[in-house]
Amino acid sequence: MVGPGAAAAASARGHTRAESGLQGGLDAAVAEARAAHPDRPVEVWAEDEHRLGLKPIRRRVWAPTGQRPIALGHHRYQWLHVAAFVQPTSGEAVWYLCSSLSKPFFAELLATFARETGAGRERSIVLVLDNAGWHGPKDLPIPDGIRLVFLPPYSPELQPAEHLWPLVDEPIVNRHLATLDELSTIVAERCRQLDAATLQPHTNFYWWPRPVQPS
């Protein structure tokens, strides 16, 4: 048996070690990208996916004393996925909506992201992502200008993109949506509204590497 203070201290040390290990991997990837193409800026981005669907999202709300708030809901297990790429220090983000996730789909997603951001032409991007099966590097074509860095296992707290999802969910919380088309329309509009100035305070981790300009 240990006191709660000792347990908290051990957890904090584990978090610090994971953060330090990720920082080391990012620094090495940035150095490699800069050495390979010294004429390009190097930016460290983060990527994550979020599953939404017709299963309602519930949050607590204020209500008058003695009254219980009512939120309509109808559980149906039909899903919509949001994939987001974000540059945490600036808040620049690229969003995609999809009906399912797989390695072939993620390969196309990476290629589209590279084209839309100018990776390989205008800048080099180090991309941080978790260890989901469809992210695995085996047999995954990596576009020119992109280098993958994987989070330590079980460390979502180190992923800035995780902080996007409460913002994305906001317009559908405690609401009943009839169809996936309705959900997709609302979520797409929400993603368009979430500009860099809104996202940056949520994603700008103090230890995240800043963009490196050409020498």
Side-chain angles (χ1 to χ4, degrees):
M1 301 248 337
V2 296
S11 176
R13 285 196 297 271
H15 175 87
T16 300
R17 283 196 298 270
E19 179 185 306
S20 177
L22 177 59
Q23 280 183 285
L26 292 178
D27 290 343
V30 168
E32 291 174 4
R34 189 177 186 187
H37 297 280
D39 58 323
R40 299 179 193 162
V42 181
E43 301 174 5
V44 182
W45 286 60
E47 190 276 342
D48 195 30
E49 298 95 14
H50 181 46
R51 188 175 75 170
L52 293 166
L54 299 182
K55 181 179 179 182
I57 296 174
R58 296 284 176 253
R59 288 186 191 165
R60 292 186 177 187
V61 297
W62 290 100
T65 301
Q67 296 185 26
R68 178 173 291 181
I70 297 174
L72 298 178
H74 178 196
H75 285 232
R76 286 150 297 155
Y77 298 96
Q78 301 174 42
W79 305 111
L80 173 74
H81 298 264
V82 185
F85 296 78
V86 62
Q87 207 293 307
T89 63
S90 70
E92 180 184 355
V94 183
W95 308 88
Y96 302 96
L97 303 186
C98 53
S99 59
S100 62
L101 295 167
S102 66
K103 181 166 284 190
F105 173 80
F106 187 68
E108 291 297 324
L109 195 65
L110 275 182
T112 302
F113 168 71
R115 287 194 302 271
E116 293 187 353
T117 57
R121 302 187 311 274
E122 302 167 12
R123 50 185 165 180
S124 296
I125 292 178
V126 175
L127 184 63
V128 178
L129 59 169
D130 63 27
N131 294 276
W134 54 85
H135 294 162
K138 183 179 179 182
D139 299 325
L140 179 68
I142 311 299
D144 178 46
I146 291 183
R147 293 170 183 263
L148 304 184
V149 173
F150 292 89
L151 291 168
Y154 310 110
S155 58
E157 70 279 359
L158 303 182
Q159 173 57 280
E162 289 278 358
H163 290 213
L164 301 175
W165 308 133
L167 301 173
V168 171
D169 291 349
E170 193 64 36
I172 59 174
V173 167
N174 295 333
R175 286 184 61 181
H176 166 66
L177 300 174
T179 66
L180 284 178
D181 285 343
E182 182 184 7
L183 174 64
S184 178
T185 299
I186 293 171
V187 172
E189 180 58 28
R190 178 61 172 170
C191 291
R192 283 191 287 267
Q193 294 170 353
L194 291 172
D195 59 13
T198 302
L199 299 179
Q200 193 261 4
H202 298 270
T203 60
N204 188 17
F205 290 8
Y206 74 91
W207 51 268
W208 198 263
R210 270 37 184 177
V212 177
Q213 297 304 318
S215 54

